[in-house]
Amino acid sequence: MWDPTLLTLLLLVVYGLALFCVLRILLHYRTAQGAIAWIIALLAFPYLTLPLFFLFGRNRFAGYIKARRSGDEALNQLLSVFSEEDQLTRIPDSADPSPELRVLTRLVGQPFTRGNHCTLLKDGKETFEALFDAMENARHYILLEFYIVRSDKVGQRIKSILKRKLDEGVKVYFTYDDIGSVWLPRNYLKELTQAGARVAAFGDGNVRRRRFQINFRNHRKLLVCDGTVGFVGGINLGDEYLGTLTDHLAWRDTHCRIEGPAVMGLQLAFVEDWYWAANDLPRFNWSLQPCPGSDQEVLVVPTSPADRFDTGTLFFLNCINNARQRIWITSPYFVPDLQVVNALQLAALRGVDVRILIPENPDHKLVRLAAYSYLVQSSKAGIGIYRYQPGFMHQKVVLVDDRYAAVGTANLDNRSMRLNFEIGAVVTDSDFVADVRQMLEADLRQCRPMTPEDYSQRSMAFRLACRAARLLAPVL
């Protein structure tokens, strides 16, 4: 039998730890909804909740902040490339037709750069062809950072190109998220390492610093070649984005190719992540090189749980609150918090054309159920929610009026806004924005508009399941 004294001691320790966690939550919580849920669970079921809290309850990626600060001097020297007064950098002034862009530059600590050329890549085939071509033409170095890397046809093609470029003397730096790429064979990485590539997982190299922080994920997808050409968007390295897998729905996704000074923003984000993963600051090209014959203005927007602000949330709120004619957002997951829901409602009530494009069949059932729960309050305000029919819509695109568009990695959910490392590019060029609008109009023609009846006329059990799923929004 258990000694009553030991049981009492164990009880005191467990509840003592639970109270300690409650104090941490009260001092550092970022959303009241998430804080209340954790506090109730910790006090009611401490034995079950304590280990979950240590794994999923952290809301700041403290180790990354520490690593970033320890490298401040070197990283700040890199960032100074953007802050110097230069004909290729510009912070929009008071005469700018989109003054909210000044907020974005202050939010991310970078200015818009001029002299860029951006190409919208509307599907996986187009994107991979451009990625392969850029790597084949690299002369000095290749930087890859992807959430998911697979050892399928696309992954093998990437590996083949990288090994060949290494033989030519091109340096390769490759980082991936150890959770997103959990099924990537070790032999794949071993081959690259043996060929001379520098490879680092976002978490594996820092087990001591990252312990109890598995809820944070590096969701970025970017490629930089020689500091002059870069890519960012929603596409990971896998065959599913080609739509050739017979056992998967075709994935609908979007990427963006950038040539010009804005590539420095992608490169800086990579260097910060690499410094965390490998504790190393490699030498790269940091000169601002304009793209001949093009003068597009671009701002790279990296967001992370290591930021001073909830950068992801503030980015979306800024876009929504400043929309005048339209705000169209595509996301595979529609599980917004109350701030974003309210902002969308106010925009619709102002007369803004608010449209949210989501997949008919997401890859997570809880996310699909949670999205239904927003239907009634969305429709009352005039928000249109559209479900993409042909396949799984995975793209992350924002269109604000005809003034600017963003292509990136962030979803419209709590994880992207507060827990993930994300990145995107904001482009103000009218031709690029027109391309985005035409692309989304084509997508909308393949969507089914949702109605309140899709929710209200379903069974009580279904509606309860939707509401329950919505309660899990802070951790979805």
Side-chain angles (χ1 to χ4, degrees):
M1 288 184 63
W2 283 87
D3 187 332
T5 304
L6 288 176
L7 285 175
T8 302
L9 181 61
L10 178 62
L11 190 65
L12 288 173
V13 170
V14 169
Y15 273 93
L17 287 172
L19 288 172
F20 173 77
C21 293
V22 168
L23 290 175
R24 284 190 58 86
I25 292 168
L26 291 173
L27 288 171
H28 303 292
Y29 74 84
R30 300 173 90 172
T31 65
Q33 181 184 5
I36 291 171
W38 277 117
I39 289 172
I40 292 174
L42 282 166
L43 296 179
F45 311 104
Y47 293 97
L48 175 63
T49 310
L50 271 174
L52 293 176
F53 179 79
F54 283 119
L55 288 174
F56 301 107
R58 303 285 290 278
N59 61 13
R60 297 289 283 177
F61 201 73
Y64 189 98
I65 299 172
K66 219 171 180 182
R68 177 189 278 173
R69 286 174 181 166
S70 67
D72 262 351
E73 184 177 348
L75 291 173
N76 283 339
Q77 287 177 355
L78 304 182
L79 187 57
S80 68
V81 171
F82 295 102
S83 60
E84 295 174 358
E85 289 295 328
D86 189 282
Q87 62 178 349
L88 296 176
T89 64
R90 186 179 77 86
I91 297 178
D93 55 33
S94 58
D96 194 282
S98 304
E100 70 268 21
L101 297 180
R102 294 200 306 276
V103 175
L104 294 181
T105 62
R106 296 184 66 184
L107 186 63
V108 301
Q110 298 180 21
F112 274 82
T113 58
R114 301 177 56 182
N116 299 287
H117 181 74
C118 297
T119 304
L120 187 66
L121 304 172
K122 302 177 184 178
D123 57 40
K125 183 175 184 296
E126 194 175 355
T127 297
F128 288 132
E129 287 177 356
L131 291 176
F132 298 155
D133 182 68
M135 288 188 290
E136 292 281 12
N137 286 290
R139 294 293 175 264
H140 304 290
Y141 59 84
I142 299 172
L143 316 178
L144 297 101
E145 180 172 359
F146 285 86
Y147 177 61
I148 295 175
V149 182
R150 302 197 191 283
S151 183
D152 51 18
K153 291 179 181 178
V154 167
Q156 291 299 321
R157 176 75 183 276
I158 293 285
K159 184 175 67 174
S160 174
I161 294 174
L162 293 179
K163 290 172 68 175
R164 185 164 63 253
K165 298 308 292 185
L166 285 162
D167 288 340
E168 295 174 10
V170 175
K171 295 181 179 179
V172 172
Y173 296 83
F174 188 8
T175 184
Y176 62 95
D177 186 84
D178 47 323
I179 298 174
S181 299
V182 65
W183 302 114
L184 182 65
R186 299 301 98 178
N187 284 340
Y188 183 98
L189 302 171
K190 186 177 179 181
E191 284 187 50
L192 285 175
T193 302
Q194 290 177 341
R198 293 289 308 280
V199 179
F202 195 64
D204 283 354
N206 296 274
V207 174
R208 180 180 61 83
R209 287 187 291 171
R210 192 182 176 182
R211 65 185 185 278
F212 307 136
Q213 299 193 88
I214 67 171
N215 205 27
F216 300 100
R217 299 168 194 176
N218 193 319
H219 197 240
R220 294 170 177 170
K221 300 104 177 161
L222 63 90
L223 166 71
V224 173
C225 295
D226 296 338
T228 58
V229 178
F231 297 80
V232 67
I235 294 179
N236 288 293
L237 302 183
D239 288 353
E240 61 266 34
Y241 295 89
L242 291 171
T244 57
L245 300 180
T246 57
D247 58 342
H248 284 70
L249 289 171
W251 283 45
R252 168 74 187 90
D253 215 327
T254 301
H255 228 69
C256 176
R257 180 186 187 274
I258 304 173
E259 186 176 359
V263 176
M264 294 294 101
L266 299 178
Q267 186 164 281
L268 182 63
F270 178 91
V271 168
E272 284 199 329
D273 292 346
W274 182 265
Y275 186 75
W276 155 255
N279 196 28
D280 172 45
L281 280 176
R283 289 177 172 269
F284 297 132
N285 164 40
W286 292 101
S287 63
L288 300 179
Q289 301 180 35
C291 178
S294 184
D295 196 29
Q296 296 178 359
E297 294 186 351
V298 179
L299 173 68
V300 171
V301 181
T303 67
S304 82
D307 295 343
R308 290 181 300 164
F309 308 105
D310 284 339
T311 311
T313 301
L314 292 177
F315 169 77
F316 278 104
L317 289 175
N318 190 60
C319 293
I320 297 166
N321 290 334
N322 288 285
R324 303 166 190 170
Q325 286 86 36
R326 73 176 58 82
I327 175 79
W328 293 358
I329 303 174
T330 68
S331 172
Y333 313 125
F334 181 54
V335 194
D337 65 12
L338 186 59
Q339 297 178 86
V340 174
V341 171
N342 288 343
L344 290 170
Q345 289 176 322
L346 285 172
L349 292 172
R350 291 198 309 269
V352 175
D353 178 10
V354 181
R355 305 190 192 191
I356 311 296
L357 284 70
I358 59 178
E360 178 67 46
N361 295 297
D363 55 349
H364 297 298
K365 290 184 178 180
L366 282 177
V367 170
R368 184 173 190 272
L369 289 171
Y372 273 93
S373 69
Y374 294 94
L375 270 177
V376 176
Q377 63 188 118
S378 297
S379 62
K380 285 180 180 178
I383 300 169
I385 301 179
Y386 298 80
R387 285 198 178 275
Y388 185 74
Q389 300 298 301
F392 177 48
M393 173 170 282
H394 189 255
Q395 66 176 331
K396 305 95 166 46
V397 176
V398 180
L399 175 64
V400 181
D401 304 329
D402 289 320
R403 295 182 293 126
Y404 59 93
V407 177
T409 67
N411 301 311
L412 202 57
D413 65 359
N414 179 72
R415 174 165 292 285
S416 280
M417 293 185 192
R418 294 190 176 87
L419 299 175
N420 285 349
F421 289 75
E422 308 282 5
I423 193 165
V426 175
V427 185
T428 62
D429 178 72
S430 58
D431 290 337
F432 183 89
V433 173
D435 285 346
V436 170
R437 180 177 176 179
Q438 291 171 11
M439 176 186 72
L440 296 183
E441 287 174 340
D443 288 333
L444 281 164
R445 288 193 288 270
Q446 301 188 75
C447 287
R448 175 181 69 85
M450 298 187 72
T451 66
E453 289 71 30
D454 288 332
Y455 174 78
S456 60
Q457 293 185 3
R458 300 293 289 267
S459 68
M460 178 63 74
F462 178 83
R463 284 179 283 153
L464 286 173
C466 292
R467 299 295 292 186
R470 182 167 172 172
L471 288 176
L472 295 174
V475 296
L476 285 176

